[in-house]
Structure formats: C-alpha cells, structure tokens
Amino acid sequence: MTEMNRETRFPVQHPEFRYAESWNPYSKKLLAEMEGRVFVDNGTEGFSGKWREKFPDGVSSPKRPLCVEIGCNGGHVILEWAARDPAGAYIGIDWKFKQIFRGAEKAKKRGLGNLLFLRAHAVRLPYMFGEQEIDRLAIYFPDPWAKKSQLKNRLIQKETLEQFARLVKNGGELHLKTDHRGYFDWMLECLEATGTIWEVTEKTFDLHQGHPDPKALQIPEVTLFERLFVKDGLPIHSIRLKKRAT
C-alpha cells in the first residue's frame, strides 16, 4: 500500500503518483499490438466515468452493466464472463504485463469486443473509475500478506472498502473470495468497521461444501487458483456484498 515510485517519490495512493517507465518487454508489446484493448499505467486514469465508451465493439450505452475484476491474472474468468454475456461490459485489472497481454491476446482472437484490460495498481482504482460507475466488482484470492509486518499491504482495508462503495452503484455488488482464513476474518472486521454502506447478501466459510463434485468445477465457476485449492481440499471463503443506497 505504500510502495514508492522511484521517479516521483509519491506513494501509490497519492493523486500525483506517476508510474515509472518499465523495461518489461511486454510493456511495449501491449502498446504496439493491443491498442484499444489494453490501457497501461497512467493511461488507465484518463477515462473516469467514461469507460463504457471505450470498448472495441462500439456499444456505449450508459445502462450497459459494467463488471470489473481486480487481479484477473491472464483473464481466465473474465474472458468467459464476457463471452457468455455480450450485452455486458467487462474490465480485467492486473499488475503483470505478460498476464495482461495474454488475456488481451485471447480476447482479440475470440473477437470479444466487450472486454478491456488495464495494467495498473489496484489501489489506483479511485483514479480509474467514476462515482457509481461499476455495477459489479470482483476480487478473487488477493495476496494475503500473512506476516504481521505485511498486514498494511493487504488490498482489503476499511479505507478501500469505503472507496469501492463510492465506485459501485447503489444496489451493485462486491464479491470477495480467499482461501486464507486469517485474511477472511480480517475482511469481515474491515467490513464491520465501514458501518452500513455494505449489506451482506451471502457469506460462507466453505463455498463448495455440499457440491457433489467440487473438483469437477470449471472456469468461470472457479478461478485457476481456486481449482488448485479445491483439489487440495482447502475451503474457499466467500462473501457477497450489496451497496446500499446513499
């Protein structure tokens, strides 16, 4: 949460933060080969409130549902969501250049014009999206930062839950999943500290309990990592939240 940019010395959450130039080879490939499908670094912060106008399929209705997945990896889940729901608009966000490139590459090959990818810090979300712009926000298996000295690095904090509430529309959804019980308990504590802005619509400490064969579940019902956790017999903790009207 407090990682510093070597060029500007501003923390990532600061309004004047600027991403440092990257020498990752996929940085240039994204710009050269995925224009219009991928937005990178500070280029992700110029369309707050206007993302529905940026999709390759040209559909820009303000009523089009917008779903955002933070930590989309190579887009395994959000690709399937977009393919199954061409009327919806989907945005996947991840920090890794190569994974974003792979996701955009698959979307291009499949002709999915309702899917965009952003390479960016998740904590920059308030600068990327406008107030109540998002219909559904999904965060699956974020890094648990399990050591006591690392807790400040966790994405889910009281402050971020409050920020998400400003970006998700009234009646919209936030869905969180983790295999880490300590992190899930932390999420619940942070949620309680936010007051009444979120309504819990579903909470479980073992999402797939009672399923006849959870190991047979496929993407997008489970994520790539989730399949491994289920195979190892780990319970999946999940909570769905509804944004209360403000």
Side-chain angles (χ1 to χ4, degrees):
M1 295 285 289
T2 57
E3 180 182 345
M4 304 295 286
N5 179 296
R6 289 175 294 177
E7 291 183 352
T8 65
R9 306 304 297 175
F10 286 118
V12 175
Q13 308 97 313
H14 195 282
E16 296 184 35
F17 169 82
R18 292 294 179 270
Y19 291 85
E21 182 179 0
S22 175
W23 300 104
N24 187 304
Y26 280 92
S27 174
K28 291 182 172 57
K29 284 175 70 68
L30 285 173
L31 296 174
E33 300 178 31
M34 296 298 166
E35 183 179 4
R37 291 185 175 272
V38 173
F39 295 81
V40 176
D41 297 352
N42 288 108
T44 64
E45 299 181 13
F47 307 103
S48 174
K50 301 178 181 178
W51 281 111
R52 287 176 177 81
E53 303 171 9
K54 304 305 294 183
F55 287 86
D57 62 9
V59 179
S60 60
S61 170
K63 296 182 179 180
R64 191 181 201 186
L66 177 62
C67 174
V68 176
E69 182 189 7
I70 295 177
C72 68
N73 199 359
H76 308 91
V77 168
I78 205 163
L79 277 161
E80 296 307 319
W81 284 348
R84 296 181 183 190
D85 178 30
Y90 292 83
I91 295 179
I93 302 173
D94 205 278
W95 173 241
K96 298 176 182 178
F97 284 105
K98 185 175 181 179
Q99 294 300 330
I100 287 292
F101 181 84
R102 294 303 185 207
E105 186 178 45
K106 293 173 186 175
K108 187 176 182 179
K109 287 181 178 179
R110 295 174 66 172
L112 297 178
N114 63 333
L115 175 58
L116 294 174
F117 288 92
L118 311 184
R119 188 273 177 178
H121 282 296
V123 294
R124 299 295 296 175
L125 212 69
Y127 304 101
M128 291 188 273
F129 294 91
E131 185 174 348
Q132 298 196 47
E133 185 173 11
I134 300 171
D135 290 83
R136 182 158 58 100
L137 180 60
I139 306 174
Y140 298 150
F141 305 97
D143 193 324
W145 294 102
K147 295 180 180 179
K148 186 174 181 180
S149 62
Q150 298 174 330
L151 296 181
K152 63 182 181 296
N153 296 326
R154 286 178 167 174
L155 174 61
I156 304 304
Q157 308 277 348
K158 172 182 179 290
E159 294 76 15
T160 52
L161 288 174
E162 291 171 340
Q163 290 172 351
F164 297 158
R166 290 194 291 272
L167 305 178
V168 174
K169 75 171 189 178
N170 293 336
E173 182 184 77
L174 170 61
H175 188 199
L176 306 170
K177 288 198 287 187
T178 179
D179 65 305
H180 193 282
R181 176 57 187 269
Y183 197 2
F184 193 62
D185 290 340
W186 167 282
M187 291 177 180
L188 297 179
E189 291 174 7
C190 293
L191 176 63
E192 185 176 359
T194 64
T196 61
I197 55 177
W198 292 106
E199 174 188 347
V200 178
T201 59
E202 178 184 289
K203 181 178 72 173
T204 176
F205 292 90
D206 193 349
L207 180 61
H208 306 303
Q209 185 180 37
H211 191 282
D213 186 10
K215 294 181 181 179
L217 289 168
Q218 300 294 318
I219 295 170
E221 282 70 32
V222 291
T223 73
L224 194 65
F225 292 121
E226 190 172 355
R227 290 175 66 182
L228 299 177
F229 299 146
V230 170
K231 183 180 180 180
D232 291 340
L234 297 175
I236 304 302
H237 315 306
S238 169
I239 186 166
R240 291 182 183 273
L241 306 171
K242 179 181 178 181
K243 163 72 179 305
R244 286 193 168 102
T246 55

